[in-house]
Amino acid sequence: MSVFMSFYTMVDGLFVSNLIGTEALSAINLTAPVIQLVTAISTMLATGGSAVIMKKMGEQKLREAREDFTFLILVNVVVGVVMWGTGYLVTGSMFGRMGLSEAVTGYCVEYLNGYLLFTVPILLMNNFTLYMIASEKAGLSLVCSVAGGVLNLVLDYVLIRICSMGIRGAAVATGLGYSVTGVAGLVVFSRRDSLLHFVKPAVRPGVLASAAGNGCSEMATALVTGIVTLMFNWTMLHYVGEQGGAAITIIMYVLMLASSLYTGYSYGVAPMISYYYGEGNREKLRKLVKISMKVTGVIALVSVAGSLAVTRPLVAVFARPDNPVYDLAVTGNRICTAALLFIGFNIFASGMFTALSNGVVSAVLAFSRSFVFMVAAMAVLPAVFGVTGIWLATPAAELMAFGMAGGVMVRYRRRYGYW
C-alpha cells in the first residue's frame, strides 16, 4: 500500500516533467515542505492513534477503543479544515519571497492551491490506511491504494493534457486519488460488523495527548523531511540554480519509492507489535521483530541493486539525456543509493518504539536521523565537496542514524523483550 501511495507523487512528476517541463517539476519539489507539513500532522495522528487504540484492543477494552477511534477521526477533520484555510492565506506570499523566476513561482502557487483542496481527505486516507489494517481489512486497504493510484494516473493525463489544467490538474488528480481510501474508510467504519467502527465519541484529552506523544516521532520525520527538503532546495539553488531543484525531485522519487517499502512494512507490523505488547506476549513479539530484521535486510539489498541497475532509464523517464538535469540526477542517484542500506533499519526502529508506546525514544531516533545528522551533513559536506557533498549528505546522515538506532535497540531489549 505504501508503495502505491508513493506512486501518486511520482506519477505527478512523470506527467508534469513530460507534459509541462522541468520548471514545473522543480515547483513540485519546492512545494514539498508545505505538503510534508500536512503529511506530518496526519502521520502523527494515524500512527500514534493506532498504537493507543490497538493497545486497548489487546487489553480487551473494545468499547473504549471504538470511542477513541471515532474521536480521533473527528480531530483529523477539524485539523484538516484549519490547515486548508491557513494554507490558502499564506501560499502566495510564501513563494513570492524566495527569489524564484516568475514561471516557477506561478507553478508553485497553482500546484499547492490545488493540493490543499484535499487536505481533509488526505488526513483521513493516512488514518484509514492504518485502521483498516488494524481491523483485519489490509486487503481492502491495498485495493483502495491501487485504485487511487490508477485513478491518479488516468486523471493526470486527462486533466493536464485534455482539460488543459496544467500543474493544477496534477494536484487535483493526486487529491482525488487520495480520496478513494478516505471515502472507502467512511463506508467501512460506519458498519457495525467492523472490528473498529464509529460510535458516539468520548472526548478524552488524554487520549489525544497520548496519540500525539506516541506519533510525534513519525510527525518529526515527516516535518523535518520538509525542512531538509527546503535546505536541499536552497543549497542546490546556490550551486546549480533551478535545474538543481528538478534533479533533487527525481532523486527523492527514487528514495521515496525504496523507503515506501520499509515504511509500508513498518506500518503493517505496528498494530501487531502494539497488540502483542498489550497482551504481554513476549514470545510472539520476539519472533515478529526477528522476522522484521530479516525482511528489512533483504529489501535493502534488493533496492540498492535495483536502483543502481535502472538509474539511467529511470532518470530518462523524467528528463531527456540532452537536458542538464539528466546528468545531475544520474550522478546524484548513484551516490544517494548508498543510503538505502540503512534507511530500512532506521525506519523500523523508530516505528517499533512508537508501537511499543515509547514515543520519546522513537522521537529521539527520528529527529536525530532526519534533522540533527542531516543538518550536520549538509553544513559540512557541500562546503568541502560542492555539489557532490549535497548528494553525500543523505547516506552520511543515515549511516550515523543506523549506529544510534542499533545502540538504542540493544539498550531497551530486556525492557520490552523483543530480543
Side-chain angles (χ1 to χ4, degrees):
M1 289 179 290
S2 184
V3 171
F4 278 104
M5 284 189 286
S6 72
F7 282 154
Y8 295 169
T9 305
M10 292 185 67
V11 168
D12 277 348
L14 175 64
F15 279 95
V16 166
S17 62
N18 285 277
L19 298 181
I20 304 177
T22 53
E23 284 186 333
L25 185 62
S26 296
I28 291 182
N29 188 48
L30 291 166
T31 61
V34 180
I35 292 174
Q36 285 295 336
L37 176 61
V38 177
T39 303
I41 300 299
S42 63
T43 301
M44 175 190 71
L45 295 173
T47 57
S50 175
V52 171
I53 290 170
M54 288 311 295
K55 183 172 182 291
K56 288 187 177 182
M57 296 289 282
E59 296 168 345
Q60 301 305 311
K61 299 177 181 178
L62 303 184
R63 179 70 185 182
E64 188 175 330
R66 290 164 183 159
E67 292 173 346
D68 294 341
F69 162 69
T70 308
F71 169 60
L72 290 175
I73 292 300
L74 291 175
V75 169
N76 274 270
V77 173
V78 173
V79 170
V81 172
V82 172
M83 295 183 71
W84 169 69
T86 304
Y88 268 95
L89 292 176
V90 303
T91 297
S93 60
M94 180 192 313
F95 295 105
R97 300 172 181 174
M98 292 181 65
L100 304 170
S101 67
E102 184 177 348
V104 174
T105 299
Y107 284 138
C108 289
V109 173
E110 194 174 353
Y111 183 81
L112 194 56
N113 282 342
Y115 186 91
L116 289 173
L117 285 171
F118 299 92
T119 305
V120 172
I122 290 170
L123 264 67
L124 292 179
M125 179 276 299
N126 278 331
N127 280 264
F128 287 154
T129 295
L130 280 184
Y131 288 124
M132 283 182 185
I133 297 172
S135 298
E136 301 177 341
K137 291 181 172 62
L140 175 62
S141 189
L142 175 60
V143 170
C144 291
S145 296
V146 174
V150 172
L151 179 64
N152 185 27
L153 177 67
V154 174
L155 289 180
D156 264 323
Y157 182 80
V158 171
L159 297 180
I160 296 175
R161 173 57 64 88
I162 298 177
C163 297
S164 301
M165 290 179 63
I167 197 170
R168 182 184 292 271
V172 172
T174 297
L176 290 174
Y178 282 137
S179 299
V180 171
T181 301
V183 173
L186 291 174
V187 174
V188 169
F189 294 118
S190 295
R191 298 173 55 182
R192 296 287 175 176
D193 59 349
S194 176
L195 180 62
L196 278 177
H197 56 261
F198 297 128
V199 297
K200 183 179 179 179
V203 180
R204 299 186 179 97
V207 170
L208 179 58
S210 182
N214 281 330
C216 65
S217 62
E218 279 68 24
M219 180 190 71
T221 299
L223 188 60
V224 169
T225 297
I227 297 173
V228 170
T229 300
L230 188 61
M231 290 179 59
F232 268 105
N233 288 335
W234 281 114
T235 306
M236 190 60 81
L237 285 170
H238 173 72
Y239 281 95
V240 182
E242 291 177 351
Q243 293 177 341
I248 289 177
T249 307
I250 297 171
I251 302 305
M252 286 188 171
Y253 286 158
V254 177
L255 292 176
M256 179 179 62
L257 178 60
S259 296
S260 68
L261 295 169
Y262 305 122
T263 303
Y265 183 81
S266 295
Y267 277 9
V269 299
M272 289 187 287
I273 291 175
S274 298
Y275 190 91
Y276 294 150
Y277 176 56
E279 191 181 39
N281 194 331
R282 289 197 168 193
E283 181 179 353
K284 287 188 176 181
L285 181 60
R286 281 194 296 270
K287 183 177 180 180
L288 182 59
V289 171
K290 182 179 180 180
I291 292 173
S292 298
M293 292 292 99
K294 293 180 179 179
V295 170
T296 301
V298 171
I299 295 176
L301 295 176
V302 172
S303 61
V304 168
S307 177
L308 292 175
V310 302
T311 291
R312 288 189 176 277
L314 181 61
V315 172
V317 171
F318 296 93
R320 297 179 181 276
D322 58 352
N323 191 317
V325 172
Y326 178 84
D327 290 330
L328 274 173
V330 168
T331 301
N333 184 70
R334 287 173 173 168
I335 297 174
C336 286
T337 292
L340 298 179
L341 292 171
F342 315 110
I343 289 176
F345 182 80
N346 296 335
I347 290 176
F348 176 76
S350 178
M352 183 186 73
F353 282 106
T354 295
L356 293 171
S357 296
N358 194 331
V360 174
V361 170
S362 183
V364 169
L365 289 175
F367 185 74
S368 298
R369 169 200 170 218
S370 302
F371 187 73
V372 176
F373 297 143
M374 184 61 74
V375 169
M378 283 293 293
V380 175
L381 296 179
V384 177
F385 300 105
V387 176
T388 302
I390 300 176
W391 304 130
L392 286 170
T394 299
E398 293 293 344
L399 177 59
M400 288 186 283
F402 177 78
M404 183 178 185
V408 170
M409 289 190 71
V410 171
R411 178 180 178 182
Y412 284 91
R413 68 188 188 282
R414 293 181 180 176
R415 176 175 173 178
Y416 295 106
Y418 47 74
W419 280 352

